[in-house]
Amino acid sequence: MESVSQGTENRGSMWDLDQKLDQPMDEEAGKLKNAFKEKKFSALLLLRLAYQSLGVVYGDLGTSPLYVFYNTFPRGVKHPDDVIGALSLIIYSLTLIPLLKYVFIVCRANDSGQGGTFALYSLLCRHANVNTIPNRHRTDEDLTTYSRFRLHEKSFAAKTREWLEKHSSRKNTLLLLVLVGTCMVIGDGILTPAISDVVVLVAVVILVGLFSLQHYGTDKVGWLFAPIVLLWFLMIGGIGIFNIWKYDSSVLKAFSPVYLFRYLKGGGKDGWTSLGGIMLSITGTEALFADLAHFPVLAVQIAFTVIVFPCLLLAYSGQAAYLVNHQDHVVDAFYHSIPGTAVVIVMLATTFLMILIMLLVWRWHWSLVLIFTALSLLVELTYFSAVLFKIDQGGWVPLVIAAAFLLVMVVWHYGTVKRYEFEMHSKVSMAWILGLGPGLGLVRVPGIGLVYTELASGVPSIFSHFITNLPAIHSVVVFVCVKYLPVYTVPEDERFLVKRIGPKNFHMFRCVARYGYKDLHKKDDDFEKKLFHNLFIFVRLESMMEGCTDSEEYSLYGQQTAESKDFLMENTTTLSEFEHTIESSGDSIVPANSPLRSLNFKPRSSGQASSQNEIDELEYLTSCRDAGVVHILGNTVVRARKDSSLYKKIAVDYIYAFLRKICREHSVIFNVPHESLLNVGQVFYV
């Protein structure tokens, strides 16, 4: 703490002035209400959702019996005991990976119902400072969807978090692990089993129908496919029972792990490489977790344990009973498929992420984490070593696809980080802005200018670039920061944070618009309208606070007093329309949608003057908005330096430039009319 305070003192009065005039949002934002409640489902509704999940979640796992045994014995079955050993491996693989690891452990690591690799990463980003873009603020933690837990300083979890946060290389490694897992899912999902021309044609027809109905939502799709998938599971389970009864019920001894070890011990290299085929029995397990957003965890658990798991065990046991008596039918009885290599890498990535989730989020004892890790790696590393032998047999295809997607993601992230660093290092001093005076040394023309920036504090370099090259600026300037948080969604009433920059006669504001990763797809047609709505509310609350006196500095903690509530009820008739938290710091007040807290203020004589100032400023803002709104976007071009390596030039000048060109900009996402758009170009070199 001493070194920090000394460093702050040495920055000089100019830095202190900047901090006073333009304090970060996290120092001013109000505490938001924690009103997020988990959905509670009745037993009947839960069973209905479990039934619907069959049509959405379990298609891949359910079709695995079509090709597992063929890929396990591509050269035919040499001895009946090999079938029993392979069945034993299938039984324990289904038990350990999909049932125990994913359904009962990994599915609990959901991000407010969202599953998948990025959901795990978002949980980690909230519980540890591992985000590679340093834009984290305390105000983000006040979101109702931003759930996190405090760690005891001397706990093993706290030491793990400290170790993880200490070096940027560890943060980058964690991000790379997440990207690898995501790309492997994509690489595996692109490939489907090569079965026959007729089946492929039927699959195409089904896919066309599926995408035609997709806009009706998961509920309708689930109801359409659930009876088909349920019938499929009941059918393969029933056929399994029939085959066990008719051909050989002794295959049930495969439930003993003894046959598993015998198979691995006596099979040699062929037995070991056959694990690549057995691993196909658990493909689709990662999709089970990724599709979690559509259904509650308990519904997915019920569907798997009651229907999917027992039917799969019966299906594989029935096939084994048939093969014991028809060893030469293995090639003709089952379909061919491409060896599915990326699957096990995804599972390994999930295992390593779950280690951190268990320590930092769930705060499990290290011994339990060690047991989970040992069991998971024992199975997954065994399969991983086996599928390495299948890389030259087609397993390289998903790896190449995944590598291509990984390259794209890494280059995009690198360019994004460099752009943010450029914004941070080149932002303009508030003292310089104040030195220009209320007119900013320019002609202030009627209208409102929305200046988009990556920064949640400070004045972006695009603004100085703009006013240096043009002789005029709008009467009102709002710096808009579109910020993406490690949460699945940000509620509409918590999306905007507003503050004032500098004195009132400068007419400069900052607005931070916050989005979650699930919000990225949404096209916000009313963005401008919502922004001005929150800006006007801010002005009203700011003026209202100027008519108050406070025995202490405004605090965002504590309980709302009856005195504060009565005062606000007397001073506004529309309190129910904008219940906000207010915190005063310097000459700025930041509102956010949550109940007022700990405002121990009293009316004073200047209340009427403040009310008049409020009316004047609201009328001024309204007239400026009516005069015209211009969206000013920075068109920052990233280039590699001349002395950069060839690889860096290709990555930055071509790949990243192409990605930026095809990526949707804020003007498209927020539905900005072309006649209201102004691009300001900048070039910087990395």
Side-chain angles (χ1 to χ4, degrees):
M1 293 297 292
E2 294 180 359
S3 61
V4 174
S5 61
Q6 290 174 0
T8 303
E9 292 173 359
N10 293 334
R11 295 186 186 185
S13 58
M14 188 66 72
W15 183 85
D16 292 333
L17 180 62
D18 272 357
Q19 293 300 301
K20 183 177 180 180
L21 294 173
D22 186 23
Q23 298 178 6
M25 282 291 188
D26 59 327
E27 295 298 328
E28 295 189 23
K31 187 178 178 65
L32 302 173
K33 59 184 179 181
N34 296 319
F36 180 78
K37 298 180 180 179
E38 295 184 357
K39 293 182 179 179
K40 295 183 179 180
F41 302 95
S42 65
L44 186 61
L45 177 59
L46 198 61
L47 291 176
R48 195 193 81 175
L49 291 172
Y51 168 73
Q52 283 183 276
S53 70
L54 291 173
V56 177
V57 178
Y58 298 108
D60 200 355
L61 270 172
T63 55
S64 294
L66 294 174
Y67 43 78
V68 168
F69 275 113
Y70 169 78
N71 284 272
T72 304
F73 304 109
R75 300 182 181 89
V77 179
K78 297 179 181 178
H79 194 275
D81 287 346
D82 292 342
V83 178
I84 304 298
L87 176 61
S88 184
L89 278 167
I90 292 172
I91 291 172
Y92 283 98
S93 295
L94 286 171
T95 303
L96 291 175
I97 302 299
L99 181 65
L100 296 181
K101 178 184 174 182
Y102 277 86
V103 172
F104 287 108
I105 296 180
V106 176
C107 281
R108 291 185 59 235
N110 62 86
D111 182 15
S112 300
Q114 306 298 310
T117 307
F118 274 114
L120 296 180
Y121 185 63
S122 70
L123 280 175
L124 291 175
C125 286
R126 297 207 298 269
H127 288 80
N129 188 17
V130 294
N131 199 335
T132 54
I133 299 180
N135 62 349
R136 183 175 180 176
H137 297 298
R138 182 178 59 81
T139 180
D140 301 336
E141 301 176 11
D142 295 332
L143 286 171
T144 53
T145 53
Y146 201 102
S147 57
R148 65 191 299 265
F149 301 99
R150 303 289 180 183
L151 299 177
H152 193 276
E153 293 182 0
K154 296 183 179 180
S155 64
F156 183 75
K159 294 178 180 177
T160 303
R161 182 180 63 186
E162 183 181 357
W163 176 86
L164 197 61
E165 296 175 344
K166 195 171 185 181
H167 296 290
S168 59
S169 60
R170 293 166 187 168
K171 300 179 184 180
N172 291 330
T173 302
L174 178 63
L175 177 63
L176 184 63
L177 178 66
V178 172
L179 295 181
V180 167
T182 304
C183 293
M184 290 299 171
V185 171
I186 297 173
D188 175 65
I190 288 177
L191 300 176
T192 54
I195 300 175
S196 69
D197 294 336
V198 176
V199 176
V200 170
L201 182 61
V202 173
V204 169
V205 173
I206 293 175
L207 285 175
V208 171
L210 176 63
F211 284 105
S212 300
L213 297 172
Q214 192 174 17
H215 67 280
Y216 289 109
T218 306
D219 182 68
K220 298 295 188 297
V221 174
W223 279 115
L224 177 64
F225 284 91
I228 301 173
V229 177
L230 176 61
L231 180 62
W232 168 260
F233 277 115
L234 294 177
M235 185 176 67
I236 63 174
I239 293 174
I241 294 174
F242 174 79
N243 286 337
I244 293 171
W245 169 77
K246 181 177 181 180
Y247 294 107
D248 193 349
S249 61
S250 66
V251 295
L252 297 179
K253 62 186 178 182
F255 282 86
S256 170
V258 173
Y259 294 92
L260 181 156
F261 293 108
R262 286 182 182 176
Y263 178 78
L264 293 176
K265 183 178 179 180
K269 182 180 178 181
D270 290 340
W272 194 261
T273 55
S274 69
L275 292 176
I278 294 174
M279 194 198 68
L280 293 174
S281 64
I282 56 176
T283 56
T285 303
E286 190 68 27
L288 181 153
F289 179 49
D291 291 335
L292 200 60
H294 304 296
F295 305 97
V297 175
L298 189 55
V300 173
Q301 292 173 335
I302 291 174
F304 187 85
T305 53
V306 176
I307 301 294
V308 179
F309 184 66
C311 287
L312 286 177
L313 293 183
L314 289 172
Y316 286 117
S317 299
Q319 290 181 13
Y322 177 83
L323 284 177
V324 166
N325 291 275
H326 304 85
Q327 299 175 27
D328 55 337
H329 287 187
V330 65
V331 176
D332 299 328
F334 304 101
Y335 299 116
H336 298 58
S337 73
I338 298 175
T341 307
V343 175
V344 70
I345 300 179
V346 179
M347 293 180 178
L348 285 170
T350 301
T351 298
F352 290 123
L353 291 174
M354 282 302 302
I355 294 173
L356 297 175
I357 293 291
M358 290 175 173
L359 289 173
L360 302 181
V361 182
W362 294 347
R363 296 168 290 176
W364 280 15
H365 193 271
W366 64 268
S367 58
L368 295 176
V369 179
L370 184 62
I371 293 173
F372 169 83
T373 306
L375 290 176
S376 298
L377 293 182
L378 176 65
V379 177
E380 291 163 2
L381 288 178
T382 301
Y383 279 129
F384 182 70
S385 63
V387 298
L388 290 177
F389 292 101
K390 285 185 170 283
I391 289 180
D392 61 342
Q393 302 174 23
W396 59 270
V397 177
L399 296 181
V400 171
I401 296 173
F405 280 102
L406 180 62
L407 176 64
V408 170
M409 291 183 180
V410 169
V411 170
W412 176 259
H413 180 263
Y414 175 79
T416 302
V417 170
K418 290 301 179 183
R419 284 179 61 242
Y420 185 81
E421 291 176 351
F422 171 76
E423 291 266 14
M424 285 291 294
H425 294 151
S426 59
K427 64 182 180 180
V428 181
S429 168
M430 269 303 301
W432 179 75
I433 295 292
L434 291 179
L436 297 176
L440 299 178
L442 306 167
V443 177
R444 300 295 292 266
V445 298
I448 298 180
L450 302 181
V451 183
Y452 289 82
T453 174
E454 302 283 341
L455 303 178
S457 64
V459 178
S461 60
I462 178 183
F463 184 69
S464 65
H465 188 66
F466 179 82
I467 64 177
T468 302
N469 291 275
L470 292 176
I473 191 64
H474 301 89
S475 300
V476 177
V477 176
V478 182
F479 296 104
V480 181
C481 172
V482 180
K483 184 177 180 182
Y484 300 113
L485 305 180
V487 295
Y488 77 99
T489 187
V490 176
E492 283 289 341
D493 58 348
E494 301 176 22
R495 188 168 313 284
F496 294 94
L497 292 177
V498 182
K499 66 167 286 185
R500 186 185 296 276
I501 298 178
K504 277 192 173 183
N505 57 353
F506 277 62
H507 300 297
M508 295 174 66
F509 301 89
R510 181 185 314 286
C511 177
V512 177
R514 303 177 294 183
Y515 292 84
Y517 54 81
K518 193 178 178 182
D519 298 325
L520 301 182
H521 323 289
K522 299 178 180 178
K523 187 174 180 180
D524 202 339
D525 294 333
D526 299 325
F527 178 79
E528 183 181 307
K529 179 181 178 182
K530 295 173 184 175
L531 188 152
F532 286 123
H533 173 72
N534 283 271
L535 178 61
F536 289 171
I537 287 178
F538 166 78
V539 171
R540 297 187 67 178
L541 289 173
E542 183 188 44
S543 177
M544 198 162 56
M545 291 306 302
E546 289 178 347
C548 313
T549 183
D550 191 358
S551 58
E552 299 179 357
E553 187 182 29
Y554 301 133
S555 171
L556 69 141
Y557 298 107
Q559 299 296 324
Q560 177 183 350
T561 63
E563 185 178 11
S564 65
K565 184 175 180 180
D566 292 341
F567 170 78
L568 289 176
M569 290 297 291
E570 292 171 2
N571 282 270
T572 178
T573 59
T574 58
L575 177 65
S576 60
E577 297 178 4
F578 54 93
E579 288 185 282
H580 295 270
T581 297
I582 305 174
E583 181 181 3
S584 175
S585 182
D587 53 8
S588 298
I589 302 175
V590 175
N593 292 6
S594 62
L596 292 162
R597 299 175 184 269
S598 140
L599 301 176
N600 299 318
F601 44 77
K602 299 178 181 178
R604 69 183 184 188
S605 59
S606 62
Q608 293 181 351
S610 298
S611 179
Q612 183 61 43
N613 291 336
E614 169 200 333
I615 295 173
D616 291 343
E617 185 163 21
L618 287 176
E619 289 180 350
Y620 182 75
L621 289 174
T622 302
S623 64
C624 289
R625 183 180 64 175
D626 294 340
V629 178
V630 176
H631 298 254
I632 305 172
L633 274 69
N635 188 11
T636 306
V637 179
V638 185
R639 295 289 184 189
R641 292 184 182 141
K642 293 182 179 180
D643 57 348
S644 301
S645 64
L646 178 62
Y647 299 109
K648 188 174 182 179
K649 289 181 179 179
I650 294 175
V652 175
D653 294 346
Y654 295 97
I655 299 179
Y656 182 74
F658 174 73
L659 293 174
R660 284 276 294 171
K661 186 176 180 180
I662 64 174
C663 181
R664 293 194 308 171
E665 295 182 343
H666 292 322
S667 59
V668 178
I669 297 175
F670 301 132
N671 202 26
V672 178
H674 286 288
E675 60 271 16
S676 302
L677 181 63
L678 178 62
N679 277 305
V680 180
Q682 282 184 303
V683 180
F684 80 96
Y685 296 88
V686 296

